[in-house]
Each structure stands twice: as C-alpha cells, then as structure tokens.
Amino acid sequence: MRRVTFVSTNPGKAREVRAVLRPYGVEVRWIRRTLPEPQAETLEEVVRSKLRATRDIPGPVLVEDSGLFIPSLGGFPGVYSAHFLRIWKFRPIFELLERRNRRAYFRTVAALRVGRRTYLFRGDVHGTIARRAAGSHGFGYDPIFIPTGWDRTFGQVPAERKNAISHRARAVRRAGEFLARRHARSRTA
Ligand code: IMP
C-alpha cells in the first residue's frame, strides 16, 4: 500500500481525496494545517507555495487549490474565490451575470511531492451559474454551480454524485494514476 499525506484544513476535501485515491491502492493520511495562500495569479503558483510550507512532512505529500472561473468576467473570481466568497457571498456574481454569459468552470490544481520532485495535476468541471442558490450539500460555490448536462446544482446532490465528476476528483485521480504507474514500474524494475 502506498501512503500519501494530504495537507488541508478542510475535512470535506480530505474525505473526498481519501475516497478518490483508495481505488489506486493509496492510503491517505490527513494533516490539518493552515497553509499560506500568497496573492498569486494562478492556482499553480498557489499550490507550489503551499507545498513549500509542508517541507517538514516526510514521505509523499499532496496539497491542492481550487477556484471558480467565469470567462465572461475575465476569469473572476478565480484564484480570489475564497476571499471573494467570504466577503461578498453570491449576490454580486448574480448581478454581474444578469447580462453576461453564465458559463463557468471549477478548476483544481493538485501538487504532489515525491522525494525532491514536484508533480502538478489539473482537473476541470464545466457548467453554468444558476439564477439563484439551491441546495445545502457541499460547500463554497456548490449551491450556484450547475454542471453541464445536469438540471441541478452541486449543492442539490449528495457528495458521491458530485465527487464522480468534480474538478478535485479529476485532478486527484490523475495523481492516483501517476502513483499507481510509478509503483508498478518500481515493482518490475
Ligand atoms: P480553496 O481551494 O479551498 O482555496 O478554495 C477556494 C474557494 O473556492 C473557496 O471559497 C471554496 O469554498 C471554493 N471551492 C473550492 N472547491 C469547491 C467546490 O468543490 N465546490 C464549491 N466551492 C469550492
């Protein structure tokens, strides 16, 4: 069994990451720690900086960062998603989108450190911004995001349905595939 330490303050993310990595034979140890989030322009910069703050943790380490990107608003709130939500909640997004295209996507970038190397994995889920918030499942922007092909928000479905297609699951699955391939190579070498 391979082991990875996932570092985050969010227990929901830790549960999701554990469930996604289990089929790859990867056991997840969760360390709850607040990591610095620099005011950076890309998720890649944010995760690299988060990973640097975990240098004291031995073995493979996984961190991630996510955001909601709305192309008709120039990608906003994007890397500022957490800050924006804390201060404003959803109303300004509804107002800004009254006359604009409502397409949006969630993106996660996961960063994995194995030994001295860092690997990045990206996952996206596309959809639209709802006209009003709906549902009490999930967290963050889930009540206003309708994935493409769905008739309801992420907030209106149980975690398993969201996790089947979520940006985070997609990024973390790529990390799982990478770890499984690496493990298989080291066993046949
Ligand atoms: P972070 O990755 O925890 O920094 O997330 C940035 C912001 O996006 C926070 O406000 C989160 O609540 C929000 N966010 C991240 N992932 C999700 C998600 O899966 N659903 C809804 N909101 C999310």
Side-chain angles (χ1 to χ4, degrees):
M1 189 67 141
R2 283 136 278 167
R3 283 220 176 79
V4 166
T5 302
F6 177 63
V7 186
S8 165
T9 52
N10 186 324
K13 286 185 180 180
R15 263 195 305 277
E16 186 176 347
V17 167
R18 187 167 281 147
V20 168
L21 287 181
R22 194 172 300 122
Y24 297 97
V26 177
E27 188 188 321
V28 174
R29 176 171 78 115
W30 172 42
I31 293 187
R32 187 176 205 148
R33 179 185 291 185
T34 305
L35 296 171
E37 286 203 27
Q39 209 51 281
E41 296 209 354
T42 64
L43 295 175
E44 283 80 1
E45 287 172 72
V46 176
V47 288
R48 283 186 189 282
S49 143
K50 281 185 170 182
L51 205 53
R52 280 195 290 278
T54 67
R55 270 193 290 231
D56 57 306
I57 300 171
V61 173
L62 183 71
V63 299
E64 64 85 50
D65 202 66
S66 310
L68 176 70
F69 295 79
I70 304 176
S72 66
L73 302 181
F76 193 77
V79 287
Y80 310 109
S81 294
H83 193 59
F84 183 83
L85 188 65
R86 242 187 330 266
I87 298 174
W88 294 101
K89 288 288 285 175
F90 306 138
R91 185 191 281 270
I93 292 183
F94 291 144
E95 286 174 4
L96 287 165
L97 289 185
E98 256 163 37
R99 289 164 197 281
R100 291 183 176 85
N101 191 301
R102 308 185 78 84
R103 276 191 311 108
Y105 60 93
F106 276 120
R107 171 166 292 166
T108 291
V109 177
L112 174 70
R113 184 180 62 239
V114 185
R116 296 160 73 89
R117 300 200 60 173
T118 295
Y119 304 88
L120 299 189
F121 305 90
R122 185 192 268 185
D124 292 348
V125 60
H126 290 265
T128 53
I129 301 298
R131 296 206 168 265
R132 59 189 70 81
S136 54
H137 291 282
F139 66 97
Y141 295 92
D142 280 342
I144 67 164
F145 183 80
I146 305 175
T148 303
W150 289 29
D151 60 359
R152 61 197 65 188
T153 68
F154 265 159
Q156 290 175 291
V157 299
E160 308 83 73
R161 287 215 42 215
K162 174 187 168 191
N163 294 352
I165 64 158
S166 85
H167 44 306
R168 187 167 305 99
R170 284 178 171 158
V172 172
R173 249 181 241 132
R174 291 197 171 119
E177 283 159 13
F178 170 82
L179 285 165
R181 271 201 310 276
R182 208 170 169 275
H183 189 65
R185 265 204 312 277
S186 69
R187 283 164 66 114
T188 53

